[in-house]
Amino acid sequence: MVAIILVEPQMGENIGATARAMKNFELSDLRIVSPRDGWPNEKAQNMSVGAIDLIENAAIHNSLKSAIADLEYVYAATAASRDMNKGYVLSKNVMQEAPMQASKVGVMFGRESSGLNNQEIAYANKILTIDTDVNFSSLNIAHAVAVICYEIFQAKNQPRKDLDHDVEKLAAHQELEYFYEHLFSVLEKKHFFKNPEPMQQKIRNIFTRIDNLSHKELQTLRGIVTCLDKR
Amino acid sequence: MVAIILVEPQMGENIGATARAMKNFELSDLRIVSPRDGWPNEKAQNMSVGAIDLIENAAIHNSLKSAIADLEYVYAATAASRDMNKGYVLSKNVMQEAPMQASKVGVMFGRESSGLNNQEIAYANKILTIDTDVNFSSLNIAHAVAVICYEIFQAKNQPRKDLDHDVEKLAAHQELEYFYEHLFSVLEKKHFFKNPEPMQQKIRNIFTRIDNLSHKELQTLRGIVTCLDKR
């Protein structure tokens, strides 16, 4: 199952169109972070046509963090090339690139006007990009959702990327959050941060790049931080 | 170059969204058959965002026949399974299936409410279909256009289907029309038609299924009809 996360969507029509495209391609887990015009949204309902069930069951969140807490692998769908050392995956490889044992994958999409910001992208394991004309690369958000859902559906019967080590339960994003909280509080205490926000973003971008980070490995990382924190 | 043909589109927003998706994926040849709300259409202009040039240059036609006259290979994009002996192509194979020497390919899309009718589909060489959830297969028209344009763009550098015979200039649809006119007038004269409309549709469906019908071969067919018509 793949979740679609809309981050601060502005127009109800696009939320409705997203629900419809998801249902066309057999997806149902819609999560919305702080929709601009509140919730419920009549325009979203009208535009969803036969996918009103997805609108009614959409999970509304106040933060991206809570929206992706249970997910094991998260993509940030964005066209812009970012000065961020994060891997890119082309839309056609969306499922082949997601690690095989990740049972909970999500794709997040940004605002119509400005997409996802770097802070939000830092939460993703990889950037998911749709190949377009380089001179006209800004896709309508519902079109981008439709293309991605289409590719997820096409990939249903394709084998997913396998691992060269034993399959272990992956760490969910919530666990990673606990790790960051722990790490950041220790670093804070030791006056590591001059400017916390950009540095924390950099740190997120390092750890989200660890492919297939398992629950056990994350416990090891936490153990390391605890150990280093001891006098 | 691939043309997108919208047949009697009802909402200007969808025409605008179509233009935008086309431009995202480097297409520019937009043709519209009898738009419901006339032309120009302000909603189409507004929704096209940066693709206003495609809206301004869109070719408006009064008939499907004239909209596809210069095309050599035409797809009918439709989800419905039709009781028609016509080949299906999946969206991901849209360009690989189009014959290599067809320099002018088109994809036609139907009305929002009811899609393409059988008479219109009869003009197509093949049906182009997007794999969806079988229980919720009706795509928003702009989503369908976006997915098809996306696949056309992805296929840009892929090899197209080759032929096992020498490359010949393909017959354009206009030439096929002359052939039908000729054939139908001869058949009419000889009282072949009890009910012309459905029978002509059947005949179209036979000849549009001839893969890679060349200009020369079509001349041969016309010669046959002329010959048979002689006393």
Side-chain angles (χ1 to χ4, degrees):
Chain A
M1 282 305 301
V2 179
I4 299 296
I5 305 115
L6 300 180
V7 180
E8 296 187 7
Q10 298 165 289
M11 295 177 68
E13 291 87 340
N14 287 328
I15 304 173
T18 290
R20 181 170 171 188
M22 286 176 66
K23 192 162 177 176
N24 284 139
F25 298 115
E26 262 186 352
L27 299 182
S28 58
D29 188 350
L30 173 60
R31 306 168 182 204
I32 310 171
V33 180
S34 310
R36 183 191 65 184
D37 297 338
W39 200 256
N41 181 316
E42 203 182 328
K43 284 177 182 166
Q45 290 163 350
N46 294 341
M47 193 72 182
S48 66
V49 192
I52 186 78
D53 50 325
L54 269 71
I55 294 294
E56 283 167 355
N57 296 323
I60 309 298
H61 291 267
N62 292 320
S63 73
L64 178 59
K65 218 181 274 192
S66 87
I68 63 172
D70 63 319
L71 302 179
E72 293 161 346
Y73 201 82
V74 177
Y75 284 114
T78 175
S81 92
R82 309 265 175 175
D83 188 21
M84 214 180 257
N85 190 6
K86 196 174 280 264
Y88 275 78
V89 172
L90 280 176
S91 48
K92 65 178 171 189
N93 299 321
V94 56
M95 294 315 288
Q96 290 91 316
E97 281 293 319
M100 206 167 128
Q101 74 277 41
S103 57
K104 289 186 165 179
V105 174
V107 185
M108 56 183 180
F109 295 81
R111 302 146 195 85
E112 288 91 328
S113 57
S114 56
L116 295 163
N117 62 41
N118 284 356
Q119 203 186 336
E120 290 155 352
I121 294 173
Y123 281 91
N125 297 85
K126 283 205 174 161
I127 287 173
L128 184 63
T129 192
I130 297 173
D131 226 2
T132 61
D133 184 338
V134 287
N135 300 313
F136 195 68
S137 62
S138 170
L139 282 162
N140 168 297
I141 184 174
H143 293 181
V145 171
V147 164
I148 300 294
C149 293
Y150 163 79
E151 284 289 13
I152 290 168
F153 187 77
Q154 305 307 307
K156 261 181 71 177
N157 297 317
Q158 286 171 30
R160 287 180 46 196
K161 194 176 162 187
D162 209 349
L163 295 172
D164 50 3
H165 58 76
D166 284 352
V167 171
E168 276 189 10
K169 191 183 172 330
L170 291 192
H173 266 260
Q174 180 65 70
E175 296 177 80
L176 207 53
E177 276 311 311
Y178 292 143
F179 167 72
Y180 290 136
E181 275 173 32
H182 181 189
L183 176 64
F184 294 165
S185 75
V186 172
L187 292 174
E188 181 100 40
K189 196 176 65 187
K190 295 182 189 278
H191 311 290
F192 175 80
F193 297 119
K194 279 183 196 146
N195 196 347
E197 195 57 63
M199 181 50 76
Q200 290 179 7
Q201 191 176 306
K202 272 182 196 160
I203 293 171
R204 280 183 195 283
N205 267 321
I206 294 166
F207 287 98
T208 47
R209 287 214 318 279
I210 305 175
D211 256 358
N212 312 310
L213 183 67
S214 73
H215 172 77
K216 276 188 186 167
E217 288 167 333
L218 189 55
Q219 282 187 313
T220 305
L221 287 177
R222 295 191 66 176
I224 290 168
V225 176
T226 305
C227 171
L228 292 177
D229 187 34
K230 280 182 189 149
R231 302 206 172 217
Chain B
M1 283 305 300
V2 179
I4 299 295
I5 305 115
L6 300 180
V7 180
E8 296 186 8
Q10 299 164 287
M11 295 176 69
E13 291 87 340
N14 287 328
I15 304 173
T18 290
R20 181 170 171 187
M22 287 176 65
K23 191 162 178 175
N24 284 139
F25 298 114
E26 262 185 351
L27 299 183
S28 58
D29 187 350
L30 174 59
R31 305 168 184 207
I32 311 173
V33 180
S34 310
R36 184 191 64 184
D37 298 337
W39 200 257
N41 181 315
E42 203 181 329
K43 284 178 182 165
Q45 290 163 348
N46 293 342
M47 193 71 181
S48 67
V49 191
I52 187 78
D53 49 325
L54 270 72
I55 294 294
E56 283 166 357
N57 296 323
I60 308 300
H61 292 267
N62 292 321
S63 73
L64 178 57
K65 219 182 273 192
S66 89
I68 64 171
D70 62 319
L71 302 178
E72 293 160 346
Y73 201 82
V74 177
Y75 285 114
T78 174
S81 92
R82 308 267 174 172
D83 189 21
M84 214 181 257
N85 190 8
K86 196 174 280 266
Y88 275 78
V89 172
L90 280 176
S91 48
K92 66 177 170 189
N93 299 321
V94 57
M95 293 315 288
Q96 291 91 315
E97 281 294 318
M100 207 168 124
Q101 75 276 41
S103 58
K104 289 187 166 181
V105 175
V107 185
M108 55 183 180
F109 296 81
R111 302 146 194 84
E112 289 90 328
S113 57
S114 56
L116 294 164
N117 62 42
N118 284 356
Q119 203 186 337
E120 289 155 353
I121 295 173
Y123 282 90
N125 297 85
K126 282 205 176 162
I127 287 173
L128 185 63
T129 192
I130 297 173
D131 226 1
T132 61
D133 185 338
V134 287
N135 300 312
F136 194 67
S137 62
S138 169
L139 283 161
N140 170 296
I141 184 174
H143 293 181
V145 171
V147 164
I148 299 294
C149 294
Y150 163 79
E151 285 289 13
I152 291 168
F153 187 77
Q154 305 308 306
K156 261 182 68 178
N157 297 317
Q158 286 171 30
R160 288 183 42 198
K161 194 178 164 187
D162 210 347
L163 295 171
D164 49 6
H165 58 77
D166 283 352
V167 171
E168 276 188 12
K169 193 185 170 329
L170 292 191
H173 266 260
Q174 181 65 70
E175 296 177 79
L176 208 52
E177 276 310 311
Y178 293 142
F179 167 72
Y180 291 137
E181 274 172 33
H182 180 190
L183 176 65
F184 294 166
S185 74
V186 171
L187 291 175
E188 181 99 41
K189 196 176 66 186
K190 296 183 189 277
H191 311 291
F192 175 81
F193 297 121
K194 280 185 195 142
N195 196 348
E197 194 57 61
M199 179 51 75
Q200 291 180 4
Q201 190 176 306
K202 271 183 198 161
I203 293 171
R204 279 183 195 283
N205 266 322
I206 294 167
F207 287 97
T208 47
R209 287 214 319 279
I210 305 174
D211 257 358
N212 311 311
L213 183 67
S214 74
H215 173 75
K216 276 188 187 167
E217 289 167 332
L218 189 55
Q219 282 186 313
T220 305
L221 287 176
R222 293 191 66 175
I224 290 169
V225 175
T226 304
C227 172
L228 293 176
D229 187 33
K230 281 184 188 149
R231 303 204 170 216

